[in-house]
Amino acid sequence: YAIAEFEKHCLNQGLKFTLVTQNVDGLHKLAGSQNIIELHGSIFRTKCTVCNDVRLNLDSPICPALKGKG
């Protein structure tokens, strides 16, 4: 939340703000940050290995084959 508040403060002052993170859990967005670069992607975006389509996937598990695997 502190980083999201700092981003708002910067934007209110007319400053640019970009959050670069290694986190993959989406918590920065949930906290309110807007301009985020996720260096390692997100656990909520999945890529089809056949057509390379990338989609948001909030299901747990992300596919039936992974049910009960952790």
Side-chain angles (χ1 to χ4, degrees):
Y1 293 114
I3 295 172
E5 286 299 317
F6 182 67
E7 178 180 5
K8 287 178 193 173
H9 171 76
C10 289
L11 296 176
N12 288 338
Q13 298 296 315
L15 302 170
K16 293 181 181 181
F17 185 95
T18 301
L19 174 62
V20 181
T21 181
Q22 295 185 65
N23 295 357
V24 297
D25 54 17
L27 291 179
H28 285 297
K29 186 166 184 72
L30 287 174
S33 292
Q34 300 294 315
N35 193 15
I36 307 166
I37 296 174
E38 297 171 314
L39 291 177
H40 300 298
S42 169
I43 60 173
F44 301 112
R45 285 191 304 272
T46 56
K47 181 177 181 179
C48 176
T49 58
V50 176
C51 70
N52 292 322
D53 184 34
V54 177
R55 292 189 184 179
L56 181 67
N57 188 339
L58 301 175
D59 296 333
S60 180
I62 61 172
C63 68
L66 296 176
K67 187 171 185 173
K69 303 289 185 195

